[in-house]
Amino acid sequence: MNKIIAIGAITLFLAGCGASATIDMDTTMAINQTQATSAPLKLIVDGEAVLPTLSPFFLDDKVYVPAKVLMEYYTSEQKWDNNLKTLTISDGSSSYVLTPDNEYMQADGYQTSLEGPAILRNGILYIPADSLNSLSGATAQLNAAGTEVLITSGDVSTTVRTPSEPLAIATENDQVKLYAALKDGGTYEGFVVEVNGNKHTFDWEAPRLLSYPPEIHYADVDQDGQEEVIVILWFGTGTGMSMQELHVIKPNQWEEVTVPSADKAASALVTSKISNEKGDALIQIQVKGSTPSMVTLRYPDRAEDGNLGEQAGIGAVTHYIVEEGKLKAETNVYIGFLESIGTLTFAYKPGKDGMEPDSIRFEVHEELASYVEGEQL
């Protein structure tokens, strides 16, 4: 997708970004009445002060920001034509034109409304802050004191800096923080881990899911007397699926500890078999290890269901948690097309080459308890 506005989506992010983010008009109006005696507004993008000589201002109960602020979180180019009095914004593949006093933007035959007219002031073109949402997916709001315009770049943006605001802070130690190294569209490209003021960049990538932010923890999960940093990244959710990715780091060396994902760790210790018995599907789940167990489920009249296959699957739903100094995991067991039948849970423990699962336990979903044949062993 283009960095500013995709031509194919020039219906202009109205479907992709939703309604424009609106600055609180009550706050704006109150500040507008006293702006003559107040200090200039500051611009903050992704937690960092930018363009200190180009202050936002109020006009007709609207907050205006310089169009140049788009360049603070996009890889784009702006050219001013002094003869035509137009500003052209290019992202390498498309161009968009803003003209002073016009309440729209021109792009390849399309016109897109702004939240108010563009304004030329002291040789700089300004646009309503509320228009940033429809232009780029960014949101803009006043801080509580009404002294700063806070811009948060949106899902289609690319930041050009490491944001100073962390994505996550460890509940165990507020000096352990996680930042995005770069936000590229809907993806985090790299992360920065900070421990007591020291920072290190890792090249992990993950989707930007605003409803499922990354997590960071600080605990001695491998029991070596030194705390590790545990980073949990979300990779998406959907019908029958929910995935996380795990990273464990030793901050003194900035080295990652080898930790098998929950599904791989469980698959090494769990076997399954699906067979036909008198027209019923018989599903056997056997757990090996220090506490072996076996569970058998009988699904009436399901033997001819061709979607079931010969074995159960593991790992469509995987979650991690740090609790009481232990790193724990759960991942599901499913049959057919992501039909979950139960959950495998375990804690990680120190192993020969990193960390490994300890005492895996399988629990059938409560609503399927009547399908369990005999006693669980």
Side-chain angles (χ1 to χ4, degrees):
M1 187 168 189
N2 293 331
K3 295 296 190 292
I4 299 292
I5 303 175
I7 284 290
I10 199 147
T11 48
L12 210 63
F13 293 102
L14 296 181
C17 295
S20 297
T22 302
I23 288 180
D24 187 331
M25 285 296 103
D26 291 337
T27 303
T28 300
M29 291 173 68
I31 298 172
N32 193 27
Q33 294 171 359
T34 59
Q35 62 177 302
T37 59
S38 63
L41 288 171
K42 295 181 180 179
L43 265 175
I44 309 293
V45 174
D46 288 332
E48 182 175 335
V50 299
L51 304 177
T53 62
L54 302 179
S55 300
F57 60 84
F58 295 94
L59 182 67
D60 297 333
D61 299 331
K62 287 185 175 63
V63 178
Y64 276 77
V65 297
K68 274 188 178 181
V69 76
L70 288 165
M71 298 176 67
E72 294 296 321
Y73 57 91
Y74 278 99
T75 303
S76 60
E77 183 180 66
Q78 296 188 5
K79 288 185 178 180
W80 173 254
D81 188 318
N82 199 45
N83 293 323
L84 297 176
K85 297 295 187 289
T86 57
L87 179 69
T88 300
I89 302 173
S90 303
D91 66 2
S93 60
S94 304
S95 296
Y96 313 93
V97 180
L98 291 166
T99 304
D101 301 323
N102 281 356
E103 295 190 15
Y104 61 86
M105 182 182 66
Q106 187 75 38
D108 297 334
Y110 293 87
Q111 288 185 354
T112 302
S113 297
L114 302 174
E115 301 300 317
I119 293 175
L120 186 62
R121 176 178 286 192
N122 299 325
I124 302 296
L125 192 69
Y126 289 79
I127 57 176
D130 287 346
S131 295
L132 292 176
N133 186 260
S134 58
L135 286 169
S136 67
T139 58
Q141 64 182 53
L142 288 171
N143 66 343
T147 57
E148 299 174 342
V149 178
L150 309 176
I151 297 172
T152 302
S153 54
D155 283 345
V156 297
S157 68
T158 300
T159 57
V160 294
R161 68 178 65 79
T162 300
S164 61
E165 290 296 320
L167 295 172
I169 300 175
T171 56
E172 302 87 353
N173 183 336
D174 63 6
Q175 296 304 302
V176 178
K177 305 173 183 178
L178 180 70
Y179 303 82
L182 180 70
K183 294 186 291 184
D184 188 359
T187 304
Y188 290 119
E189 291 192 351
F191 290 85
V192 178
V193 174
E194 178 180 357
V195 178
N196 299 324
N198 298 314
K199 295 182 178 181
H200 189 80
T201 301
F202 294 88
D203 61 358
W204 317 315
E205 290 191 6
R208 295 174 64 193
L209 305 173
L210 301 185
S211 298
Y212 301 93
E215 300 176 27
I216 189 168
H217 299 273
Y218 195 57
D220 181 15
V221 294
D222 67 354
Q223 303 169 27
D224 68 347
Q226 300 288 331
E227 284 83 359
E228 286 76 44
V229 175
I230 303 94
V231 175
I232 302 171
L233 305 175
W234 280 88
F235 268 69
T237 62
T239 303
M241 299 189 68
S242 182
M243 302 298 296
Q244 292 181 329
E245 183 177 274
L246 176 71
H247 298 277
V248 177
I249 304 102
K250 289 192 172 295
N252 290 338
Q253 302 87 20
W254 296 118
E255 293 179 353
E256 282 206 56
V257 178
T258 300
V259 184
S261 62
D263 59 315
K264 289 183 178 179
S267 295
L269 295 173
V270 177
T271 58
S272 64
K273 181 181 179 181
I274 301 176
S275 58
N276 180 343
E277 185 171 296
K278 298 179 181 179
D280 297 339
L282 206 64
I283 303 168
Q284 294 178 319
I285 307 296
Q286 186 168 4
V287 179
K288 298 174 287 185
S290 58
T291 55
S293 64
M294 185 171 71
V295 178
T296 301
L297 294 90
R298 180 181 292 273
Y299 274 65
D301 304 319
R302 290 285 300 275
E304 301 304 322
D305 186 341
N307 293 319
L308 293 184
E310 298 180 354
Q311 293 180 327
I314 296 176
V317 177
T318 297
H319 295 140
Y320 300 97
I321 186 173
V322 177
E323 186 176 63
E324 298 178 348
K326 289 185 176 293
L327 174 60
K328 301 179 180 180
E330 63 177 38
T331 189
N332 78 327
V333 177
Y334 62 92
I335 59 175
F337 184 68
L338 302 180
E339 182 181 344
S340 185
I341 63 173
T343 303
L344 295 160
T345 60
F346 62 90
Y348 285 95
K349 66 177 182 179
K352 181 179 179 181
D353 298 312
M355 299 185 70
E356 60 187 32
D358 183 28
S359 301
I360 291 183
R361 182 177 62 180
F362 175 67
E363 292 185 358
V364 176
H365 292 322
E366 185 177 349
E367 64 270 22
L368 301 179
S370 62
Y371 290 175
V372 176
E373 188 170 81
E375 295 185 4
Q376 298 187 35
L377 303 178

